[in-house]
Amino acid sequence: MSKELPILDVEDLSRCFERITTKIDILHEAFRAMTMDYSHHIENTLGKNHHIIRLRENIDFRLVSSKFHLELLFRQYYIIEREIKEYAKKKPEVIFKQIFPSHPLFDNYEKQITSIFDSIVFHLSSIFDYLSAIINYIINNKDESITKWSQLNNSCRQKTEFNNKEVSKCVIEKHNSFVNKLYEHRTRLIHEKSDIHPSALKIELNSGKIDLRFFARKELTKKFSYLRKKTKDNRLTISFVSEWLIETTIDSIIDILRSISSDMKSVSRFPENIGMTEWTMLYRNPETGIGEPVSDHMWREIEKKITAANNGYN
């Protein structure tokens, strides 16, 4: 008999949500830094409810929604485990009787967990459409015609305003390594097939202790190189995959914002730009004594926090 592969799961819920919350906070700071870059290098928008800010709020909502659905996922785990314990104590035949070809009770549990996971996928996918609109607005002189990631990806690969931009390189890399895979999975769910993720249950009859897991299907994990690599030696739970998708989305957005910042600096109107406005914000570098865009200091602090957040995470 072949040896059962070890399970990769979210074992510490507190640490999981602490990490995600920390990364969301860092992303918020990255958006503020990017917005300040726009004010310093392109057009002063301080004190205004700018289009970039409104689009960013949509991204905030989708990220918070993704995190909330991850919380729902764990809550539903708890509810299902509690129900199984009650059945094992009072009506064990409900759990242990053989039903062919599948067990309706566990079929229902699997559909519940899968529906929550699918919502996470849908929220995360929509984030990149909002991000595309922000990128195009900044790079393409306030143009608002691009509202989808697919449009942005195509523009970055053609001879357009995105030629030779750092953000174009970053968008293409993220598309190839992550975003396209996420969209492909969403498309499969919408147009082809609902992938119900299977469960596995172990019960210690003497103690009543149960071990319930919901595993990510191969159709999902094989799309992403990181997950595909992990499945060679492990079985991945849907919780593990959910956390990874959320964190990878956040990391990808931060990388893209960093590249936008670089592009804005390459066409900067600073410091002439700040002389055309009533007020602005500068950071006095303690080493040089010279005033510089406050976003420069913000990005330096962000990089420190990213390093700390990623420490010890494989």
Side-chain angles (χ1 to χ4, degrees):
M1 181 181 292
S2 60
K3 185 178 179 181
E4 193 174 69
L5 292 175
I7 296 172
L8 276 184
D9 199 358
V10 177
E11 304 296 347
D12 188 336
L13 299 190
S14 296
R15 182 176 179 274
C16 167
F17 284 106
E18 181 181 350
R19 283 183 51 78
I20 290 175
T21 299
T22 297
K23 288 204 168 188
I24 289 177
D25 289 342
I26 293 173
L27 177 59
H28 288 165
E29 293 185 34
F31 266 116
R32 286 193 291 271
M34 185 272 293
T35 304
M36 291 302 299
D37 277 323
Y38 187 86
S39 290
H40 284 304
H41 303 298
I42 308 298
E43 174 193 13
N44 194 310
T45 58
L46 292 178
K48 301 176 183 178
N49 184 21
H50 199 262
H51 183 64
I52 296 174
I53 296 176
R54 294 193 294 273
L55 289 171
R56 186 205 69 200
E57 289 172 349
N58 292 325
I59 294 175
D60 288 342
F61 171 72
R62 294 300 177 184
L63 269 180
V64 170
S65 297
S66 300
K67 179 185 172 185
F68 174 63
H69 278 78
L70 185 59
E71 294 174 4
L72 291 179
L73 189 74
F74 290 125
R75 289 182 196 174
Q76 196 60 29
Y77 259 79
Y78 173 76
I79 291 171
I80 292 172
E81 286 180 347
R82 187 175 59 188
E83 288 183 1
I84 291 174
K85 286 180 180 179
E86 286 298 309
Y87 280 126
K89 185 188 301 182
K90 300 177 181 179
K91 296 181 179 180
E93 69 278 4
V94 173
I95 297 174
F96 297 114
K97 64 182 178 182
Q98 296 293 322
I99 301 176
F100 185 82
S102 61
H103 197 300
L105 180 66
F106 289 95
D107 284 352
N108 186 48
Y109 290 153
E110 290 166 0
K111 290 175 182 177
Q112 290 173 5
I113 294 299
T114 299
S115 67
I116 298 173
F117 173 75
D118 287 354
S119 293
I120 293 175
V121 170
F122 295 147
H123 281 298
L124 293 179
S125 300
S126 65
I127 285 174
F128 290 97
D129 289 331
Y130 291 122
L131 184 61
S132 300
I134 292 178
I135 296 169
N136 185 60
Y137 184 89
I138 293 173
I139 300 298
N140 203 7
N141 193 26
K142 299 184 181 180
D143 181 78
E144 299 181 33
S145 62
I146 288 181
T147 58
K148 296 180 180 178
W149 176 265
S150 58
Q151 294 174 301
L152 177 68
N153 177 59
N154 289 336
S155 292
C156 288
R157 295 171 187 270
Q158 298 170 359
K159 292 183 178 181
T160 65
E161 290 77 3
F162 290 91
N163 268 1
N164 301 317
K165 299 290 186 182
E166 288 299 317
V167 71
S168 297
K169 300 174 187 176
C170 192
V171 165
I172 292 171
E173 189 278 320
K174 298 302 177 186
H175 177 84
N176 292 339
S177 64
F178 178 69
V179 183
N180 190 43
K181 317 300 181 185
L182 187 66
Y183 271 72
E184 285 179 350
H185 184 64
R186 183 186 69 170
T187 299
R188 173 181 168 83
L189 297 179
I190 296 174
H191 300 294
E192 298 179 24
K193 188 177 185 297
S194 296
D195 287 331
I196 307 300
H197 298 283
S199 61
L201 173 67
K202 293 181 181 179
I203 299 181
E204 294 181 6
L205 296 179
N206 293 332
S207 65
K209 182 180 178 181
I210 71 171
D211 182 7
L212 175 66
R213 314 276 182 147
F214 292 87
F215 293 99
R217 291 178 63 92
K218 183 179 180 181
E219 287 81 1
L220 168 63
T221 59
K222 71 180 182 180
K223 291 183 180 295
F224 302 92
S225 59
Y226 174 83
L227 299 180
R228 189 166 60 246
K229 181 180 178 180
K230 289 292 184 183
T231 55
K232 291 181 180 179
D233 301 306
N234 305 275
R235 290 182 294 160
L236 310 186
T237 69
I238 205 67
S239 304
F240 178 88
V241 172
S242 297
E243 180 190 8
W244 181 79
L245 287 175
I246 293 173
E247 290 204 28
T248 303
T249 295
I250 296 172
D251 293 341
S252 299
I253 298 171
I254 292 174
D255 286 343
I256 291 172
L257 295 183
R258 190 188 287 111
S259 68
I260 298 173
S261 172
S262 176
D263 285 330
M264 285 192 284
K265 289 176 182 177
S266 70
V267 296
S268 177
R269 298 167 60 196
F270 182 87
E272 292 80 6
N273 187 38
I274 64 174
M276 303 176 185
T277 59
E278 294 182 1
W279 69 284
T280 190
M281 293 177 63
L282 296 176
Y283 172 76
R284 184 178 181 274
N285 191 313
E287 296 180 0
T288 64
I290 298 174
E292 62 182 35
V294 68
S295 54
D296 289 356
H297 172 69
M298 294 171 73
W299 278 113
R300 287 193 292 269
E301 294 301 308
I302 288 168
E303 296 301 336
K304 294 177 184 177
K305 293 179 180 180
I306 289 174
T307 300
N310 289 330
N311 186 34
Y313 186 65
N314 297 316

